[in-house]
Amino acid sequence: MLSSTDFASASWELVVRVDHPNEEEQKDVTLRVAGDLHVGGLMLKLVEQINISQDWSDFALWWEQKHCWLLKTHWTLDKYGVQADAKLLFTPQHKMLRLRLPNVKTVRLRISFSAVVFKAVSDICKILNIRRSEELSLLKPSGDYFKKKKKKDKTNKEPIIEDILNLEGSPTTSGPPVSPGLYSRTMTPTYDPINGTPASSTMTWFSDSPLTEQNCSILAFSQPPQSPEALADMYQPRSLVDKTKLNAGWLDSSRSLMEQGIQEDEQLLLRFKYYTFFDLNPKYDAVRINQLYEQARWAILLEEIDCTEEEMMIFAALQYHISKLSLSAETQDFTHESEVDEVEAALSNLEVTLEGGKMDNTLEDITDIPQLADNLKLFRPKKLILKAFKQYWFIFKDTSIAYFKNKELEQGEPVEKLNLRGCEVVPDVNVAGRKFGIKLLIPVADGMNEVYLRCDHENQYAQWMAACILASKGKTMADSSYQPEVLNILSFLRMKNRNSASQVASNIETMDINPECFVSPRCAKKHKSKQLAARILEAHQNVAQMPLVEAKLRFIQAWQSLPEFGLTYYLVRFKGSKKDDILGVSYNRLIRIDATTGIPITTWRFTNMKQWNVNWEIRQVAIEFDQNVSIAFTCLSADCKIVHEYIGGYIFLSTRSKDQNETLDEDLFHKLTGGQD
């Protein structure tokens, strides 16, 4: 038998602060515990001593000094290392969080502060009806994100009341964890694929989502355009170094919100982090497509991505068109029942899935690789030489271009053979000026070789441009994505075609929205309002007949066709270098860019990557590629974990396929992005 003194020496007093949901102040509770008491037993003792009848199932212990949750309830206090000086907080795991969505709408919902961010984002996307949650993440904005001009803040005495969509009754407060937003391809369509409105008969399918049809429409429809004054007040990056600041605040997907210092009711940004949008389907993805369109729209307006003035007018015309259609769609009554029988629709989808779309040309893909042969003009930039193009006979085969002095010499040795695998392909186009150019940056041992090709007309350009894009990814023209790529390029070029101004002039007076709302502030300063309106309406004639969802998808496609699309920038210092460089991270490659000139120096493809790791002591990322190429760099504009996670995340997303679209291998994601092994 233990004496009372023996018992006293084996036990000690532990003070736990309790976060009472109905009381403003936290209260301290003192318990006598022993090191062999498990965490579950400690919580039981705590609840018994508090003696308040309520549901405590969501409460857990948070260790303030160690900045971690004590979620393994079978572990003893000794195993965790908890001693008498430990500051423990007994608090709910689910707390309120404000999220600003890509459409600048803020939603307030209850989310787990103890689950890793990857899981929390999955839960958020399930609530918001956004599939493919792995493409999104949470971003903590820098201080200058919400307001650019601080002088105005002091004179603006009126408080800004933010319009918040409150989704407090979200399903993540209790019960089993919700599954990621990966829905079966055989399910009944939940949205009208033409105008993106929710199909009423299937809203009950989202039984675990607090979204009503009205809230769903708010997220699936485009918001009214911001005033030019509001646009001018928003943060706009002026240089590549400025752009690196936009990506410094991504949260660590392998740690919880609480572990990363996020406070209850704090505002974070929910954004598409990875620019590989898998299986976009208007039948199920109205919210996802709209939020993606909005993210693209703001990237154009705030010049987070560069585009030509001609392209800016296309984007403006599409925004104007979408804005008009959204206003008219919101005034209609969409409460009617869907006329399509749900079982019939599911069977129809299943039939399409089983038949597949690629089976008929599989043999042709294997045995017959198409090639292109035509006269093109070529120019290689050299110092002190004017830009003079010279005509050659070009043959595009597999992933290489060979060119000859003329067609008769094609059986002999070419003047040069260019291997395009791993190269950068940049459009150099001005439709109004009948200029159809392709700029190729081809990686060589000491950097990049720059080559310009010039085509004669749209069709030739579309074929050669599509072939170059596929070759840069290691694919040939036999790939099933070649023809869709050609058609996509052609459709974008046709949107740029300028029409006669006769009809435009009469429409300028009827243009009911300020044209400066649809272009970047810098572009708006270059033109008078009437000139801008005329050019937007001129471009609008090419898209005026498009349905709402198709117009949004076309905007997304046009955004994807921009040279800078999908590049996330970080300021880094490469090992052995004496100056800072920009590192561009894309879905398939890393690019080293000169921070002063913005010119790419070297490209490394993920397909050539053998391994990558982080030296956590000196915060250095090291990557090994084929042919004994290795690089190492330290991150200056963000934590090196963010860049490491980007690389691993893109490699994880490349493993997805439609055949296994029901489940995500979360363990594989953490293995590729965690950097702890």
Side-chain angles (χ1 to χ4, degrees), residues 463 466 470 477 479-488:
Q463 290 176 341
L470 262 67
M477 285 175 279
D479 192 87
S480 59
S481 62
Y482 175 66
Q483 283 305 329
E485 187 68 44
V486 172
L487 294 172
N488 189 32

Side-chain angles (χ1 to χ4, degrees), residues 410-618:
E410 69 174 71
Q411 300 304 323
E413 280 293 310
V415 176
E416 189 179 16
K417 190 173 183 181
L418 307 171
N419 183 8
L420 303 192
R421 192 185 289 262
C423 77
E424 296 295 309
V425 184
V426 182
D428 182 24
V429 175
N430 183 330
V431 176
R434 307 301 297 164
K435 173 186 167 187
F436 303 101
I438 302 169
K439 180 181 172 183
L440 300 173
L441 296 167
I442 302 165
V444 289
D446 58 343
M448 308 280 272
N449 268 344
E450 204 172 324
V451 177
Y452 287 82
L453 303 181
R454 183 68 63 83
C455 301
D456 293 328
H457 50 78
E458 289 103 324
N459 289 338
Q460 187 186 53
Y461 169 79
Q463 290 176 341
W464 285 80
M465 184 67 176
C468 289
I469 290 169
L470 262 67
S472 72
K473 301 173 186 174
K475 297 177 180 178
T476 70
M477 285 175 279
D479 192 87
S480 59
S481 62
Y482 175 66
Q483 283 305 329
E485 187 68 44
V486 172
L487 294 172
N488 189 32
I489 293 167
L490 279 172
S491 71
F492 191 39
L493 290 176
R494 280 166 192 154
M495 280 197 287
K496 291 182 180 181
N497 271 326
R498 302 187 73 163
N499 297 292
S500 62
S502 56
Q503 190 184 343
V504 172
S506 62
N507 287 347
I508 291 176
E509 302 304 324
T510 62
M511 190 172 183
D512 50 351
I513 303 171
N514 193 340
E516 285 87 355
C517 300
F518 302 111
V519 296
S520 68
R522 188 160 50 169
C523 180
K525 285 176 187 173
K526 290 182 185 176
H527 304 279
K528 291 179 181 175
S529 189
K530 279 195 173 182
Q531 288 177 324
L532 210 52
R535 290 191 64 182
I536 292 171
L537 286 173
E538 191 180 338
H540 179 250
Q541 289 183 56
N542 293 317
V543 300
Q545 303 307 313
M546 277 185 197
L548 181 57
V549 176
E550 186 188 332
K552 288 179 184 176
L553 287 170
R554 194 60 64 88
F555 191 101
I556 293 165
Q557 287 171 352
W559 175 48
Q560 288 173 307
S561 72
L562 295 176
E564 277 188 34
F565 169 77
L567 278 173
T568 307
Y569 300 105
Y570 290 98
L571 191 66
V572 300
R573 173 73 63 90
F574 279 88
K575 189 178 179 181
S577 175
K578 292 182 179 178
K579 67 185 186 76
D580 301 340
D581 285 309
I582 304 288
L583 181 74
V585 183
S586 181
Y587 73 97
N588 61 355
R589 67 202 189 282
L590 299 174
I591 308 173
R592 183 177 181 176
I593 302 166
D594 187 295
T596 311
T597 63
I599 296 171
I601 300 168
T602 320
T603 296
W604 302 280
R605 292 267 159 184
F606 289 160
T607 49
N608 300 330
M609 191 187 293
K610 288 165 74 175
Q611 67 172 29
W612 75 102
N613 55 64
V614 180
N615 182 332
W616 294 107
E617 287 182 18
I618 57 173

Side-chain angles (χ1 to χ4, degrees), residues 126 137-138 155 245 259 349 431 523 532 546 554 565 657:
K126 186 70 175 175
S137 193
L138 299 175
T155 58
K245 297 172 187 173
E259 287 170 324
N349 262 359
V431 176
C523 180
L532 210 52
M546 277 185 197
R554 194 60 64 88
F565 169 77
S657 73

Side-chain angles (χ1 to χ4, degrees), residues 49-84:
Q49 190 154 328
I50 296 167
N51 197 23
I52 295 175
S53 181
Q54 70 167 65
D55 182 5
W56 295 97
S57 60
D58 189 45
F59 277 65
L61 289 166
W62 168 256
W63 191 353
E64 288 186 9
Q65 295 108 314
K66 297 273 186 177
H67 229 57
C68 70
W69 288 95
L70 308 185
L71 296 176
K72 292 175 177 157
T73 52
H74 59 285
W75 276 27
T76 63
L77 298 181
D78 280 346
K79 191 168 183 180
Y80 263 121
V82 174
Q83 295 177 344

Side-chain angles (χ1 to χ4, degrees), residues 254-269:
S254 303
R255 294 163 64 214
S256 69
L257 292 170
M258 198 93 155
E259 287 170 324
Q260 298 181 68
I262 304 302
Q263 304 296 315
E264 183 168 9
D265 219 30
E266 189 170 334
Q267 179 151 313
L268 298 176
L269 311 180

